[in-house]
Amino acid sequence: MLTDQSTIEVIKKSRKQVSILFSDIEHSTRHWERRGDVDARMLLDRHNRLLFPVIRKYRGRIIKTLGDAIMAAFSNADNALKAAIAMQQKLAEEREKDRYFSLRARIGIHTGTGIVEHDDIFGDVVNVAAKVESSAEANQIFITHATRARLKSNFNLSEEQELKVPGKRKQIQLISCDWQQHEKLTGNIRADSILPLLKRQKMELLSYVAMTLFAVFFLYQYYIRYLLADAGLSPGWFSITQQLPSDYPFVLIIQTLAMVGFAVYVLRIDFISRRLIRVLNGFFGAGITVLLFAALNHYVDLPFKKRWDQPIYESQNLFVQVLKDHTQINIEPNKRSTTLQILPKGEIFVYIRSKSVDKVRWDEVIFREQQNGWIPRRIPPAFGVAEEQLTKTHKFYFRYYDLYGAILAIIAFIWGYMGYRIRPS
């Protein structure tokens, strides 16, 4: 546990110079009263979708939304003011396009030293910026003298008034920015489709991704790697080979890293693209469908199962599947030859040919690119020891039920993507 002194040192190290921007919708209460809760909420969502991309464009970080207000942080005062100008321009453009869009915002910016933490900023710089914003009127941008002193670009600025902040001995000089005379800063900025995320929704997203990756691994293990082998391709080191061993652990590692990376990303952000959520929801539905359909076909003896068990596609290769852990693969079909690897249960290799040596049948398989190996198919019975099957040889078949499952998965994806609805926070 940190001592008081160590806590102070941590806080001191987190102090940085930032430009804080506050934006607020004027007469927001009137909008809620006139339009009703649903229309006003959708109008606020439209406001955010217009302005959030502007903040990101000018390298700002959205710290939080307070009802209809936005708090953002910039490491550069020029970018903060450019973002404010672009925000006013974006709202003005939208009002020209749609006469029912009547939102007007006031914006305040102050630059100073704040305590910058992972998901929030504290300090006098935040309090002053909020006061500056509340002093502005609709369609106005106010900045402080501290912000003006750190500007390197030319802006249309004029001194406006002085602000008395409670608790401060000196008044703060407010400077107005004539954004209407500034060059257009909204080029190539498109409205985003974003959604605020709560902790519950973040956990839901992680479950979507986990289910999706599990379904992808299931598809890889039971379908994709066989098709890759027939095509002469393997994801293992992206080499052109028919090698299959250790491919699925490789894929599993990649998927685990992807899951960890997405988890870190989701836990760090407060907003996410609605389209991305739709895609994840679609994959979640498709993954659930694939797994349920496979379980139905495997565990339930359906009367029409023989009919849809007929193959549509037969693999070009034979495959050797390891049935027992600690099975050896040797350079030569001989127990005394050099062992290339100890194999776990479930490994699959492309079959080449078979050979019997000392009453033991060995299968030659493609082990690595330009290297083959030999695996014993079974251990013959001995005194007090029963015969033990080590491998089996089989072909891959894509059957009618696989096709039906794929069709259902596509339908489930479309349903999940199109059927996603925003739920109240």
Side-chain angles (χ1 to χ4, degrees):
M1 185 174 180
L2 293 174
T3 63
D4 290 342
Q5 186 59 38
S6 61
T7 303
I8 292 173
E9 291 300 323
V10 170
I11 292 175
K12 284 182 178 180
K13 291 180 181 179
S14 65
R15 297 178 76 244
K16 298 177 183 178
Q17 181 177 290
V18 290
S19 293
I20 300 296
L21 179 150
F22 270 97
S23 169
D24 195 13
I25 299 174
E26 189 189 44
H27 303 313
S28 59
T29 305
R30 185 186 305 172
H31 289 292
W32 287 89
E33 182 179 352
R34 288 172 52 190
R35 292 176 176 266
D37 290 347
V38 176
D39 285 348
R41 176 64 182 86
M42 295 306 296
L43 191 65
L44 177 60
D45 180 68
R46 185 177 174 185
H47 162 273
N48 291 344
R49 290 190 291 111
L50 288 169
L51 299 190
F52 283 7
V54 175
I55 294 172
R56 294 196 295 268
K57 167 75 174 180
Y58 291 99
R59 300 181 181 180
R61 182 162 66 100
I62 300 168
I63 305 301
K64 64 180 72 174
T65 57
L66 308 170
D68 49 11
I70 300 173
M71 174 185 170
F74 299 79
S75 59
N76 182 284
D78 286 74
N79 284 340
L81 187 50
K82 287 179 181 178
I85 294 171
M87 289 165 71
Q88 293 288 20
Q89 291 176 347
K90 198 70 176 176
L91 292 175
E93 291 172 4
E94 200 69 13
R95 289 193 296 269
E96 291 179 4
K97 294 177 185 177
D98 185 358
R99 63 189 181 93
Y100 294 104
F101 185 84
S102 57
L103 296 187
R104 289 172 168 78
R106 52 178 181 262
I107 300 176
I109 303 173
H110 177 56
T111 303
T113 302
I115 300 171
V116 180
E117 296 186 354
H118 167 63
D119 56 355
D120 210 344
I121 298 178
F122 303 92
D124 186 59
V125 63
V126 177
N127 300 329
V128 173
K131 293 293 184 182
V132 172
E133 173 267 308
S134 62
S135 300
E137 296 180 357
N139 298 335
Q140 230 179 357
I141 300 174
F142 273 174
I143 67 173
T144 62
H145 182 74
T147 300
R148 182 179 187 176
R150 290 168 175 81
L151 293 175
K152 297 178 181 179
S153 304
N154 294 322
F155 298 93
N156 296 312
L157 303 176
S158 59
E159 294 187 9
E160 195 68 29
Q161 64 187 56
E162 290 187 339
L163 171 66
K164 175 62 178 176
V165 178
K168 286 189 173 291
R169 289 176 295 177
K170 294 183 179 181
Q171 292 185 332
I172 295 176
Q173 191 176 25
L174 297 182
I175 300 164
S176 176
C177 176
D178 188 2
W179 58 270
Q180 294 171 323
Q181 301 300 319
H182 201 280
E183 63 179 342
K184 185 178 179 181
L185 297 177
T186 58
N188 299 323
I189 301 178
R190 299 177 59 184
D192 201 359
S193 179
I194 52 178
L195 192 68
L197 286 177
L198 300 177
K199 287 184 178 179
R200 172 178 56 83
Q201 293 164 334
K202 291 181 179 182
M203 295 301 107
E204 185 177 310
L205 277 178
L206 292 179
S207 68
Y208 285 178
V209 176
M211 174 55 67
T212 300
L213 292 178
F214 182 77
V216 169
F217 182 70
F218 171 84
L219 291 174
Y220 175 79
Q221 190 167 2
Y222 288 96
Y223 298 96
I224 297 174
R225 58 178 174 162
Y226 294 104
L227 298 174
L228 289 174
D230 273 356
L233 300 174
S234 170
W237 305 109
F238 303 97
S239 58
I240 301 177
T241 173
Q242 292 178 320
Q243 171 197 353
L244 282 180
S246 302
D247 277 352
Y248 68 89
F250 174 77
V251 172
L252 185 59
I253 291 171
I254 294 297
Q255 288 187 310
T256 302
L257 293 176
M259 183 65 194
V260 172
F262 188 82
V264 172
Y265 168 74
V266 167
L267 293 176
R268 288 176 64 91
I269 63 174
D270 295 318
F271 300 90
I272 195 168
S273 166
R274 192 172 303 162
R275 181 173 297 176
L276 177 59
I277 293 183
R278 285 179 179 272
V279 170
L280 291 176
N281 194 53
F283 277 125
F284 179 79
I288 288 288
T289 301
V290 167
L291 297 178
L292 290 178
F293 190 76
L296 176 69
N297 183 75
H298 184 75
Y299 294 108
V300 179
D301 190 14
L302 301 171
F304 46 83
K305 190 172 182 179
K306 289 184 179 180
R307 185 173 181 180
W308 73 1
D309 204 38
Q310 296 177 1
I312 302 174
Y313 170 81
E314 179 181 331
S315 63
Q316 302 170 11
N317 297 290
L318 274 171
F319 299 96
V320 176
Q321 181 176 352
V322 178
L323 302 177
K324 296 285 185 178
D325 284 325
H326 308 295
T327 298
Q328 294 181 347
I329 179 169
N330 298 343
I331 293 179
E332 300 293 338
N334 192 311
K335 293 181 180 180
R336 294 179 293 276
S337 68
T338 303
T339 299
L340 293 172
Q341 188 175 328
I342 302 298
L343 302 174
K345 179 181 178 181
E347 288 276 32
I348 292 178
F349 300 83
V350 176
Y351 171 86
I352 300 176
R353 62 193 176 100
S354 298
K355 185 176 182 180
S356 295
V357 178
D358 296 333
K359 298 182 180 181
V360 177
R361 184 169 179 177
W362 295 76
D363 293 325
E364 185 180 12
V365 298
I366 297 178
F367 178 60
R368 294 193 183 96
E369 189 173 6
Q370 298 180 349
Q371 183 180 19
N372 296 342
W374 293 85
I375 306 175
R377 179 170 297 189
R378 63 172 59 89
I379 298 175
F383 183 75
V385 179
E387 183 180 76
E388 188 174 15
Q389 185 83 18
L390 299 179
T391 66
K392 69 175 182 178
T393 305
H394 64 91
K395 280 199 168 188
F396 166 74
Y397 296 96
F398 189 82
R399 307 177 189 277
Y400 277 100
Y401 73 77
D402 296 316
L403 177 62
Y404 301 150
I407 293 173
L408 287 177
I410 293 172
I411 294 173
F413 176 85
I414 296 173
W415 177 81
Y417 182 87
M418 302 298 296
Y420 179 79
R421 294 291 182 269
I422 303 174
R423 294 192 299 278
S425 299

